[in-house]
Amino acid sequence: MPRNQSTAARRARAAQRETGAKYTAALRQATASGSSPTVFSLRELLVECTTSPEWTGDHPEVDAEWAPRMFDSALLGGPVPYTSVLLLTGDLAASGLSAEMTMESRDGFNAVVVACGGRRFQLLLSQDDWVAELCLAPGCQHLPVAESLIPYCERQHLAQRSKTELAKMAWAWGNDRRQEFESTPAAAHAGDQGDALIAAAVAQGAFSKVAAELVEGCYGDPDLIAEIYLNDAEATAIRHAIDNEHLRLRKRARSAAAHIRKLAAGICVCGATPYLAPEADVPARYCSAQCASSAATSTVIR
């Protein structure tokens, strides 16, 4: 038995030998029983993928003609598609072959989730080439807003990030957009992903900082436009684009605030009606900074 074989895989194979149970059922039970994750390197996974013989069992989820070519991975708790592991290696190339990985979870022959370098990936086990980056929150099955740049899902976990984290993500996303629109800089904008950051910022009371970071990332320091864009016409176009983007982000912020207040039935936890604009940088759920602070303190005490 391989020295680095996962606990779940060892349990599954032992159960198969001792009871004659199908490997898939044994693997599902062993994985569900819980164990501390095995840590391995990207290099180890790649070596296993490129040197292991093809798995010849029957895939329980898809017909034989559609089943992917797989190898029996000791590191990932059972058979996985060769191509998926190679695609994952490409996605993590910047992390280096020594990057540490863990298998977060495995659902029989449906999917396996791995974590590496502050990122999470899901590999479907029913087809060759499906690898998707997941929200960074452990256990979340939703896609992130923008993979490594905004690595949390819009549905729940992005709005739970701190003001500082949101501001950092905003600048990184804006800078990425600036590079994308390098040939037409006045056409740059934060896009749907930037709007998701604004909605999260409104929930946290961080609209002003996040909006400023987004816009500066997209167009450069507003105070240095004349130095960055030496052509007067281009500088004028950039200033106009900055003004329009600030206006658009404010409208998005007000819409997000209205949505949050609607979900809260329009009433703050203290019973008052929230009325502050997003520019006040008070979480939209509350009627004042003092109320938000009191609610936070109460939560910590509990």
Side-chain angles (χ1 to χ4, degrees):
M1 184 178 295
R3 183 173 51 126
N4 57 357
Q5 187 171 13
S6 73
T7 302
R10 287 201 300 270
R11 288 177 180 170
R13 291 187 178 88
Q16 184 184 33
R17 289 195 301 270
E18 294 171 7
T19 67
K22 288 186 177 181
Y23 178 77
T24 54
L27 174 62
R28 187 175 291 109
Q29 181 177 358
T31 304
S33 66
S35 60
S36 50
T38 301
V39 178
F40 51 93
S41 69
L42 180 58
R43 177 182 288 103
E44 289 177 282
L45 180 61
L46 182 59
V47 168
E48 187 183 55
C49 172
T50 55
T51 60
S52 297
E54 185 171 355
W55 180 69
T56 57
D58 295 327
H59 199 297
E61 303 294 337
V62 293
D63 294 336
E65 61 179 314
W66 302 109
R69 292 184 60 238
M70 308 175 83
F71 68 96
D72 197 0
S73 171
L75 298 173
L76 298 183
V80 293
Y82 287 104
T83 305
S84 294
V85 172
L86 294 175
L87 288 172
L88 176 66
T89 302
D91 288 337
L92 291 171
S95 299
L97 291 176
S98 297
E100 289 189 346
M101 304 184 69
T102 59
M103 184 183 77
E104 180 181 300
S105 64
R106 179 174 178 125
D107 179 16
F109 272 72
N110 294 308
V112 61
V113 176
V114 298
C116 178
R119 301 169 72 182
R120 299 172 63 243
F121 295 87
Q122 182 186 65
L123 285 68
L124 284 189
L125 304 179
S126 58
Q127 60 189 71
D128 269 318
D129 56 356
W130 200 95
V131 177
E133 187 159 357
L134 297 178
C135 170
L136 193 53
C140 183
Q141 296 298 309
H142 299 300
L143 301 178
V145 173
E147 297 185 345
S148 61
L149 294 175
I150 311 175
Y152 296 93
C153 65
E154 183 177 2
R155 180 175 299 189
Q156 177 182 2
H157 294 111
L158 183 61
Q160 296 176 356
R161 311 328 301 167
S162 70
K163 297 177 182 180
T164 300
E165 288 179 280
L166 291 173
K168 288 181 178 178
M169 285 186 274
W171 191 91
W173 175 249
N175 187 59
D176 187 77
R177 296 290 279 179
R178 183 180 179 187
Q179 295 179 43
E180 181 176 344
F181 287 90
E182 185 176 10
S183 60
T184 55
H189 55 88
D192 293 341
Q193 296 85 346
D195 288 353
L197 281 168
I198 289 297
V202 168
Q204 288 287 354
F207 167 71
S208 297
K209 180 63 174 175
V210 170
E213 293 293 326
L214 268 175
V215 172
E216 181 169 333
C218 281
Y219 305 104
D221 188 337
D223 296 328
L224 300 176
I225 295 301
E227 286 77 8
I228 297 173
Y229 303 97
L230 300 180
N231 182 288
D232 289 343
E234 188 173 46
T236 298
I238 293 295
R239 291 191 182 96
H240 183 64
I242 289 174
D243 290 341
N244 284 342
E245 187 67 354
H246 273 301
L247 178 61
R248 191 186 71 81
L249 293 178
R250 282 197 293 272
K251 289 180 179 178
R252 178 69 183 93
R254 287 171 182 149
S255 175
H259 177 68
I260 291 172
R261 291 164 185 168
K262 182 179 179 180
L263 293 177
I267 301 298
C268 178
V269 292
C270 71
T273 302
Y275 62 89
L276 296 176
E279 291 88 341
D281 286 336
V282 172
R285 177 69 178 83
Y286 301 101
C287 62
S288 68
Q290 291 78 8
C291 193
S293 178
S294 297
T297 302
S298 175
T299 301
V300 170
I301 291 176
R302 289 176 191 165

